[in-house]
Amino acid sequence: MDSAIAVDSVTVVSPRIDPERVHRLFNPTSIALIGATDKSWWSVSTFENLTNHSFAGGVHLVNRRGGLVHGRPAVGRIADLPDGIDLAYVMVPADAILEVLAALADRGIRNVVILTAGFGETGNEGQLLERAVREFATLNDMTILGPNGNGFVNAANDVVAYGLPVATPLLRGPVGVVLQSGGIASSVLDFAQSRAIGISLLVSMGNELMLSMTDVVRYLINDSATRVITLFIESIRDPEEFLDVARAALAAGKPIVALKVGRSQMGARVAMAHTGSLVGNDAVIDAVFRQNGIVRVDTLEDLIITSGLLARHAPLTGRRVGFVTPSGGACEIIADRAEQERIEIPEFANTTVDRLRDALPDFAAARNPIDVTGYVLVQPDIMSTALGIAQTDPNTDLTVLAYNLPQHAPEGDAAETLDEYSQLAEAISSSPKPVVIVSDTLSEITNYGRSVAERTGFPIVLGGLDHAMTAIGHAAEWSDAYHAKQTNLTSSRVARSLTPPTDVAPTWSEYRAAQFLSDHGIPVVPNALVTDQDAAVQAAELHGYPVVLKLAADIEHKSDIGGVRLNLNDADAVREAFNQVVTSGQQTGANVLGALVQPQRSAGIELLVGIVTDPMWGHVLAIGLGGIWVEVLGDTALRVLPVNKEQVLEALDELRGISLLKGARGAESVNLDLLADVVVSVADLVAAYGTEIESLEINPLLVNGSRIEALDALISWSRR
């Protein structure tokens, strides 16, 4: 969102930076290095990167003493620069930045990269300087990347305006990388290059004083050279804008793969009965990413390997995979990891099995996954033969070939090696479905291996079975989200706007909360509020024994103080229970309204349906096994509101206890469609009241076949 800044009584708007302006920054025709000096490693590296990577435009140097810098004449003032310069790469001390920006503005140079540190990351004084720079740049129509970042590598157009050494040659490709880290950026670039995964653009964001991560993502969505967007995220500064670009990327068919650090930091949360203890900042991030088609990975290796796979093969048509390997051990690893990643290994069709038996030795495994065994050393072309058969099987969506590029040139004639890889490359290129190449381990791709791949057309090799299976699982997950987006399954209802009761108290416990839910169409167990023993007995007889009697007071955990009595089978038991629960409430000093009488529900499964307010993402829905075990089991799935029925069904399917809902050991299965409808109704109700409702919890929601009832509820209204 735009932010207003007051400067000398003038209101300055710092808007989102549109893709066209970002394009101009990353595609300059002429660059000036401000503060260039042979004494700075940063300056030397930046200059050498531009010259070694064949930047087609002019590179001009500014040093206040003039003279020769990096072997070229430098000018002493920005005012002495020639016309036509459209990017300034600034390396002067922080206290000189404003003076430099003023000179650049006077010279008409509007695009700036600030390498210098010493801004908001240093404390209050640096934050004030950062604010002043932002205000000046906004008033003067400038675009700034940084400060406290290394710059960018535009591999697609040979612009390496980057302050750390970048080796040659630089492999171009379809992966755009945006990092909120300077030091990590070079490691990510080096690893991508080592795995033969080319980049279109790599950006080290720095402090995001003006140009933000989401500005760059929006640019990459529109960039024809980029097919996958790769993010290293330390913080999400504007959740609304982040969601906007995530949804735009998914709609455009460009996967976002993200490594979000900070899993151990728990965000602020509402202190509510049970739900609050189950909803932490990182768990909500997981839900946000999952709902919006962002692939979340855990390691830098998976960040690049998954991006490389998606760049080549997204979207997949399904998760049924055929495997061709030269090793029984590899088959066993694949089988284990496939289950973890929800990758299906279907049986091959009978015709496929027959063809494999004819082509493979008797001791090979002519089933999925295929093990051609060490016979590949005797007959190298057996892999391409097995691959050619497997890739035509009608029961699979893609094929995985476990094979590696050679590490070293053979001692004899290299023609056999080239023939072997040429045959495989031809089988891969002619395949009617995607073929993914994986190595057993994360082994190095040597210069010789790279040359074999280039000469034969052999595709990139994903590093290591473990990382490769992770990448395939992520690719299938993203593809599911993409296909759902195309069929509009991810759309959610538009909630109506409702006004809360005028006499709303901060917290509503069971009686008022249950009445509120019932008034809005949520199924609630019948209950009666009673204020004396006789009324309690009358209500019990109306409901039919056995009954439950609960304290009616604004107390969250009534059972902890003896405020709940179960299995009451006659009038005497009801009278005694009434006295006990009312007394227990009075002893706490609570405002006791009386007691609630409900019919006893013995059969069914208890669930938790809770919604709390996350300080960053708003209302978060938690669904899980409920009752007294909710915090012990912690079996909960999260979604950020709004949600639709498909998303709720997906959340239910994530629960470890889903087998209970589906009728384990012959028990009656729960009507999951009806359950999802009830959960969506609860979510829509909260969304309709917006920020007025801070939290709402139903625990338990009792489900038994098609009977679904809220047995207890708690609502917290925002304090106004």
Side-chain angles (χ1 to χ4, degrees), residues 18 23 68 171 215 239 241 275 291 512 560 632 653 719:
D18 66 71
H23 175 84
L68 285 178
L171 182 62
D215 289 330
E241 171 70 355
T275 309
Q291 283 177 254
R512 295 193 71 183
D560 293 348
V632 176
D653 200 50
R719 291 174 172 83

Side-chain angles (χ1 to χ4, degrees), residues 703-717:
V703 294
N704 184 21
S706 293
R707 191 184 73 196
I708 301 172
E709 292 176 318
L711 301 190
D712 200 351
L714 183 70
I715 299 174
S716 292
W717 297 89

Side-chain angles (χ1 to χ4, degrees), residues 540-694:
E541 292 176 348
L542 179 64
H543 291 316
Y545 293 109
V547 297
V548 177
L549 199 143
K550 301 177 181 178
L551 173 67
D554 289 332
I555 296 176
E556 293 179 1
H557 302 289
K558 295 183 289 293
S559 59
D560 293 348
I561 64 167
V564 178
R565 294 291 304 276
L566 306 175
N567 298 311
L568 306 176
N569 291 300
D570 54 45
D572 289 341
V574 169
R575 293 178 188 277
E576 180 184 356
F578 178 87
N579 288 336
Q580 289 179 344
V581 300
V582 170
T583 300
S584 69
Q586 291 171 340
Q587 289 175 344
T588 67
N591 179 25
V592 176
L593 302 178
L596 295 179
V597 182
Q598 301 173 346
Q600 175 82 33
R601 301 297 196 210
S602 56
I605 300 169
E606 294 183 341
L607 298 179
L608 164 88
V609 176
I611 298 172
V612 298
T613 302
D614 180 88
M616 178 176 287
W617 304 102
H619 286 132
V620 179
L621 167 69
I623 312 172
L625 295 183
I628 63 173
W629 299 108
V630 58
E631 291 175 351
V632 176
L633 298 175
D635 187 15
T636 309
L638 303 182
R639 294 293 185 271
V640 176
L641 267 56
V643 294
N644 59 31
K645 185 174 181 176
E646 289 77 17
Q647 292 168 334
V648 172
L649 287 170
E650 289 173 0
L652 290 169
D653 200 50
E654 292 172 13
L655 300 177
R656 298 191 303 275
I658 184 62
S659 58
L660 297 175
L661 299 175
K662 291 182 176 180
R665 290 182 170 269
E668 183 181 7
S669 61
V670 172
N671 186 331
L672 293 177
D673 280 339
L674 182 58
L675 173 59
D677 286 336
V678 171
V679 174
V680 170
S681 295
V682 174
D684 284 349
L685 175 60
V686 173
Y689 280 92
T691 58
E692 299 290 348
I693 291 183
E694 189 171 277

